[in-house]
Amino acid sequence: MAKWGEGDPRWIVEERADATNVNNWHWTERDATNWSSEKLKELLMGLQVESEEGKCEITEVSKVEGEASINNRKGKLIFFYEWNLKAAWKGTSKSGIKYKGNIEVPNLSDENDMDDLDISVSLCKDEPETELLSLMRSEGVKTIRTALASYVDFLKTEFTQGMILPTANGVTKQQKAQATTKSNKTQIGSCSPAPPPPNTGVKIPTCKFSLKDTFLTSPEDLYRVFLNQEMVQAFTRSSAVVEAEKGGKFHLLDGNVNGEFHELVPEQKIVMKWRFNSWPCEHYAMVTLTFTDKGNETELKIECWAVPESEEERTRDGWQRYYCHAIKQTFGYGARLC
């Protein structure tokens, strides 16, 4: 017989103040189907791509069929999801001609790599041929793939809140690991360090928004501003770490903003996970920056998904003030030279 206090950790009830799922040993499951259905619609609806041929937009998500769940066993999360998706898109050529088409994703599954995902794009019956179909099959598919990848990220971060339960002292394995990292700041421009807020286990209502601005420079130069560490430090006027590669991390404004690059298309697009450090632990928004050449200037479109509803105004203001305005002021991209 084991001595007092030396037994199998599965039986150490004292580790949890309420004795619930001690040490996360028991198998627990959470149904993510309804949440996933809404999240997929949110991420896909309104997606747009644009070129010199015209503009296309997803106007309806007509089918979201499947299921998703998360299992916790011994503190390890196991994800299962399988979806069949159908959507409709509309396009308008530069000459004003309108077109309609369909999108189908038959195999969004945990068993398939995102790069191997089959995304079928077609025109509706009797629609005439158009270059907009090629646009949707190239840039449109990339944008859809990015949105679906962000769904998987949100499933593994936002929806898992609270699945790994804290012990009596309120610390999970994930939080113990985070405690060893450098403390970040909680307010933009703040000098007083504070750790990120704890994992509360509460699902977060989110929203999406987009912004557009124009810069008096080329897409190449503006693209470089977001990826060159010295230039980032210049326009934020603070320390920064920028790993300019797919999967690379970034930490801006003395740690108040951080994230990871998901896709980098030189002079055209940057896709990233992005968060304020004061947001709930491990919750990220998905941000896409699209650079469009307008001759002597560049149009920047900023699209943000999964922003906490309570943080929409602050996030929108942050992008306008600490990115757009600061970049123009620092590099002179906002004033025409006579």
Side-chain angles (χ1 to χ4, degrees):
M1 181 179 291
K3 294 180 181 179
W4 180 262
E6 296 181 0
D8 189 321
R10 285 172 290 181
W11 303 101
I12 304 178
V13 178
E14 290 81 4
E15 285 295 315
R16 278 280 297 177
D18 57 6
T20 303
N21 197 12
V22 182
N23 294 324
N24 298 282
W25 185 266
H26 300 293
W27 185 286
T28 59
E29 180 174 326
R30 179 180 290 179
D31 185 3
T33 301
N34 291 336
W35 176 90
S36 293
S37 179
E38 293 303 314
K39 180 61 70 174
L40 286 164
K41 290 177 182 178
E42 174 190 326
L43 291 170
L44 292 172
M45 274 294 294
L47 285 183
Q48 298 178 358
V49 289
E50 191 172 358
S51 74
E52 59 184 13
E53 300 296 334
K55 180 179 179 181
C56 300
E57 179 180 355
I58 295 179
T59 55
E60 180 186 6
V61 180
S62 56
K63 180 179 181 180
V64 182
E65 186 177 273
E67 58 183 322
S69 62
I70 307 171
N71 296 306
N72 172 17
R73 176 59 167 163
K74 301 180 183 179
K76 179 181 180 181
L77 297 178
I78 303 168
F79 300 88
F80 168 80
Y81 55 91
E82 188 171 12
W83 294 99
N84 183 352
L85 310 173
K86 289 185 179 180
W89 63 274
K90 292 183 179 180
T92 305
S93 69
K94 288 296 185 182
S95 59
I97 302 175
K98 297 185 182 299
Y99 300 87
K100 296 180 180 179
N102 297 305
I103 301 165
E104 184 169 3
V105 184
N107 61 341
L108 176 60
S109 167
D110 57 285
E111 297 181 354
N112 299 321
D113 291 335
M114 195 57 64
D115 290 339
D116 299 328
L117 191 62
D118 182 20
I119 302 175
S120 174
V121 180
S122 61
L123 283 168
C124 288
K125 187 178 180 181
D126 298 329
E127 288 284 345
E129 289 297 318
T130 172
E131 289 299 320
L132 293 181
L133 179 60
S134 298
L135 173 64
M136 281 297 293
R137 285 177 172 173
S138 55
E139 294 307 309
V141 165
K142 290 179 184 178
T143 303
I144 293 167
R145 196 183 304 278
T146 298
L148 296 179
S150 68
Y151 155 70
V152 177
D153 285 336
F154 293 139
L155 179 66
K156 294 181 178 180
T157 54
E158 179 180 321
F159 193 77
T160 57
Q161 299 290 314
M163 285 202 71
I164 298 183
L165 298 173
T167 55
N169 63 5
V171 179
T172 66
K173 292 179 181 179
Q174 293 168 319
Q175 290 170 336
K176 287 178 180 178
Q178 290 166 352
T180 62
T181 63
K182 183 178 179 181
S183 295
N184 291 327
K185 314 296 187 292
T186 57
Q187 299 292 330
I188 274 198
S190 171
C191 295
S192 57
N199 185 325
T200 63
V202 178
K203 286 194 286 185
I204 306 166
T206 62
C207 65
K208 60 182 178 181
F209 66 83
S210 63
L211 301 168
K212 281 187 179 180
D213 206 341
T214 302
F215 297 79
L216 299 177
T217 187
S218 66
E220 179 183 5
D221 288 344
L222 187 58
Y223 177 87
R224 185 168 60 247
V225 167
F226 287 91
L227 298 178
N228 182 285
Q229 182 167 303
E230 292 183 357
M231 298 181 81
V232 171
Q233 290 180 147
F235 77 77
T236 60
R237 294 176 172 82
S238 61
S239 62
V241 175
V242 181
E243 300 172 356
E245 59 184 8
K246 183 177 180 179
K249 311 290 186 182
F250 59 84
H251 303 275
L252 280 59
L253 295 159
D254 296 322
N256 286 300
V257 169
N258 56 78
E260 178 182 321
F261 294 114
H262 265 221
E263 183 181 359
L264 299 175
V265 182
E267 304 175 30
Q268 297 180 35
K269 182 165 63 174
I270 297 173
V271 181
M272 57 185 139
K273 289 168 57 178
W274 186 99
R275 73 187 304 272
F276 278 126
N277 186 56
S278 57
W279 285 3
C281 186
E282 294 302 314
H283 179 84
Y284 287 84
M286 208 71 185
V287 177
T288 298
L289 307 180
T290 306
F291 305 83
T292 304
D293 192 346
K294 296 291 185 178
N296 293 327
E297 56 190 25
T298 298
E299 180 184 86
L300 173 65
K301 184 175 182 181
I302 304 165
E303 298 173 280
C304 300
W305 294 279
V307 175
E309 283 187 355
S310 60
E311 292 285 294
E312 179 182 0
E313 184 177 349
R314 178 187 176 215
T315 306
R316 186 190 295 269
D317 180 68
W319 273 94
Q320 291 173 327
R321 180 183 302 180
Y322 297 103
Y323 282 91
C324 296
H325 180 72
I327 288 171
K328 289 181 178 181
Q329 190 176 53
T330 302
F331 302 109
Y333 293 163
R336 296 185 182 275
L337 298 178
C338 297

